[in-house]
Amino acid sequence: MPGHKVLKGIARSKGHAAGEALVSEQPLSWAPFTIPNETGVISIFGHKLSGQSVKDKIVVYPTVSGSTTGSIGLYFKVKHSGMGPKAIICRQVHPIDIGGAIAAEIPAVDGLEKDPISEIHTGDWVEIAAAEVGKEATVTITKKS
């Protein structure tokens, strides 16, 4: 189908989600001081996405930077403040992010057939189907027009 691409990967946290992609070539931290729970806006000094919101996005990034507070931060952004992403896609989801995604009940996918940072662009529509942790997940990308 024109404009659609389907990639297979591995579910690290199960669930289904769809939304607009926000893609970072740089690692991200979900720690409360780097993406405040009240705003969902990235405030990492020198980061290319600083000033952009993760709220309701499918956030695509290489892997985590930072500490275990990121797991707690991701959970609170999604479940308590409502300022978090709908899902995460990484080259390699770090265990810190897996814990936060599972607690927040959002899909987390990695191990895609192709590099997600090359295949997905900010603004693309992304749908994730990740039925079972450790099993195959499907990522459908619809290019923005």
Side-chain angles (χ1 to χ4, degrees), residues 7 22 25 37-38 44 63-64 69 71 74 84-85 103 118 127 138:
L7 299 175
L22 179 64
E25 297 173 356
N37 292 340
E38 306 79 46
I44 303 170
T63 194
V64 73
T69 60
S71 183
L74 181 58
S118 299
E127 297 179 43
T138 304

Side-chain angles (χ1 to χ4, degrees), residues 94-114:
H94 192 280
I96 290 170
D97 289 349
I98 292 172
I102 289 171
E105 299 176 316
I106 63 168
V109 176
D110 70 5
L112 293 173
E113 306 166 291
K114 295 184 179 181

Side-chain angles (χ1 to χ4, degrees), residues 18-38:
E20 184 180 337
L22 179 64
V23 181
S24 173
E25 297 173 356
Q26 299 169 281
L28 274 178
S29 168
W30 296 105
F33 60 88
T34 61
I35 305 175
N37 292 340
E38 306 79 46

Side-chain angles (χ1 to χ4, degrees), residues 43-131:
S43 62
I44 303 170
F45 180 76
H47 199 282
K48 290 181 181 178
L49 295 185
S50 199
Q52 295 198 45
S53 175
V54 300
K55 182 179 178 356
D56 295 332
K57 301 286 198 266
I58 307 295
V59 181
V60 183
Y61 57 104
T63 194
V64 73
S65 65
S67 70
T68 55
T69 60
S71 183
I72 297 163
L74 181 58
Y75 170 76
F76 276 97
K77 278 170 204 37
V78 173
K79 286 297 193 180
H80 292 279
S81 71
M83 293 292 166
K86 287 185 175 180
I88 59 175
I89 299 173
C90 298
R91 286 181 180 140
Q92 180 177 5
V93 181
H94 192 280
I96 290 170
D97 289 349
I98 292 172
I102 289 171
E105 299 176 316
I106 63 168
V109 176
D110 70 5
L112 293 173
E113 306 166 291
K114 295 184 179 181
D115 182 8
I117 294 159
S118 299
E119 297 296 319
I120 305 169
H121 299 96
T122 295
D124 289 347
W125 188 258
V126 178
E127 297 179 43
I128 297 172

